[in-house]
Amino acid sequence: MLEEQKYYGFTNDEIFGSIMQNKRFCKAIIQAALPDVNVVSVESIDAQKELGTKSDKSSKSVRLDIAVKDQAGSFYDVEVQVNNNHDIGPRMRYYQSSMDRDTLDRGEPYTSLLRTYLIFLCAFDSFGRGKLRYSFHLYDDEDKDVKLENNAENIIINSKGSGSSDTDLLNLQKLMNDDKIEVTGVFKEIQTQIQEYNDDPKRRNLMRTAELRMKEETAVARKEGREEEQRNTVKVFKALKPDATVAEGLAWIKANTDVSLSDEEIKAILSENN
């Protein structure tokens, strides 16, 4: 019996990048996420646009999934987040700041900053409220009628949420969840295009290759993260208790930190640094 082929859906990196390169598809998806905004026709689309490394090589760079400008000069960043790393707030803050730095040249007034829309398409609910769409602006803590007009809006679409009657937004949700779209229109066309990508052997090979590469990069990042965690934990402990034994070190680290290292890993590192 032949094994059923994996279906690569809208949130797959290769699929998402290909779909969003189509200006009509791209506009429809952005407009669905921003029902109260008149999205002017799309002028430019950059996939995997890198920001943040021009002047400071030590700064953390950001690679935007899809960076879009429309004919009115507004700047949109559309990101897919499949895994919940519990960092959505800080992540959106950093992406927003990187977008701002990239659009304002030295000597220009702050009023020259482009209007920006940061849209995260998430396969999880970061806030546990069950909403399909979350929209964020800056307001005064005591008087919500006082709004800080910074021309920036942060949007999160939660594919597991509910509570909307907007047809386009509901179709975007179906697209994110790989649910069948019945009604004829642009979202049905997008889903048909995705199926054609899945039926194309060459494209499937590209998607498999990209998937393997992503897994390898994730494994390397996790390894580097664990090594950094190890170094920092030992450094802190040695600074506090330079003459402590391995057993004392293990007890202190387990009681005072939340490192993901096993007891054996902690003891091995402490032994190396004794």
Side-chain angles (χ1 to χ4, degrees):
M1 185 176 180
L2 292 175
E3 183 180 351
E4 185 177 351
Q5 282 193 324
K6 178 178 179 178
Y7 178 78
Y8 293 98
F10 175 68
T11 57
N12 172 271
D13 284 344
E14 293 294 316
I15 292 284
F16 179 69
S18 296
I19 290 297
M20 294 297 281
Q21 291 292 329
N22 180 305
K23 288 186 177 181
R24 192 163 66 89
F25 292 170
C26 180
K27 180 184 175 182
I29 288 161
I30 291 174
Q31 188 67 78
L34 298 168
D36 299 325
V37 175
N38 179 27
V39 180
V40 183
S41 58
V42 171
E43 181 179 279
S44 66
I45 302 171
D46 287 321
Q48 298 296 313
K49 179 179 176 66
E50 188 166 12
L51 306 179
T53 57
K54 293 179 181 178
S55 60
D56 185 358
K57 298 298 183 182
S58 65
S59 295
K60 183 179 178 66
S61 65
V62 166
R63 191 180 297 275
L64 307 184
D65 282 352
I66 295 292
V68 178
K69 287 185 181 178
D70 68 14
Q71 290 182 349
S74 297
F75 187 14
Y76 308 83
D77 171 28
V78 189
E79 300 287 322
V80 169
Q81 296 289 307
V82 175
N83 300 313
N84 186 2
N85 296 316
H86 306 284
D87 63 355
I88 202 77
R91 181 182 289 268
M92 294 188 85
R93 173 183 167 184
Y94 197 78
Y95 276 51
Q96 182 68 59
S97 66
S98 298
M99 291 165 65
D100 291 341
R101 286 197 303 272
D102 193 69
T103 59
L104 192 67
D105 292 330
R106 179 174 299 191
E108 286 190 292
Y110 294 116
T111 51
S112 296
L113 279 170
L114 298 179
R115 174 173 288 279
T116 60
Y117 299 92
L118 180 55
I119 303 168
F120 272 41
L121 306 179
C122 297
F124 51 87
D125 187 350
S126 293
F127 311 102
R129 300 299 181 90
K131 291 178 61 176
L132 173 54
R133 181 180 183 273
Y134 295 93
S135 175
F136 299 94
H137 301 81
L138 293 177
Y139 299 93
D140 177 66
D141 288 342
E142 296 180 354
D143 184 355
K144 293 296 188 293
D145 289 332
V146 180
K147 180 180 175 183
L148 188 64
E149 298 289 353
N150 63 348
N151 285 337
E153 186 170 348
N154 291 353
I155 302 295
I156 295 175
I157 305 299
N158 161 34
S159 70
K160 309 307 178 190
S162 60
S164 174
S165 59
D166 185 275
T167 301
D168 288 341
L169 183 55
L170 291 172
N171 279 331
L172 175 56
Q173 181 183 31
K174 288 181 179 179
L175 205 58
M176 293 169 67
N177 290 330
D178 300 327
D179 293 334
K180 188 174 182 180
I181 297 172
E182 301 288 353
V183 181
T184 301
V186 64
F187 285 94
K188 179 70 172 178
E189 291 179 46
I190 293 172
Q191 201 162 67
T192 300
Q193 183 68 76
I194 292 173
Q195 186 60 58
E196 290 177 4
Y197 289 156
N198 275 269
D199 293 338
D200 183 338
K202 290 183 179 179
R203 278 194 173 272
R204 287 193 65 82
N205 186 53
L206 286 173
M207 289 185 283
R208 278 194 296 269
T209 301
E211 191 173 49
L212 288 172
R213 184 173 64 247
M214 180 67 71
K215 287 180 179 178
E216 290 171 356
E217 290 174 355
T218 300
V220 169
R222 284 177 178 168
K223 182 176 182 293
E224 291 175 347
R226 286 178 68 81
E227 290 173 350
E228 182 68 18
E229 184 180 35
Q230 293 169 359
R231 288 193 294 270
N232 290 339
T233 300
V234 171
K235 187 183 297 183
V236 169
F237 177 71
K238 286 297 181 182
L240 293 170
K241 299 179 181 293
D243 299 322
T245 65
V246 170
E248 290 170 337
L250 174 63
W252 184 90
I253 289 171
K254 288 181 69 66
N256 295 280
T257 72
D258 59 354
V259 295
S260 59
L261 308 176
S262 69
D263 288 3
E264 294 306 314
E265 287 175 312
I266 294 172
K267 286 191 286 187
I269 299 163
L270 289 169
S271 297
E272 289 174 4
N273 288 269
N274 262 353

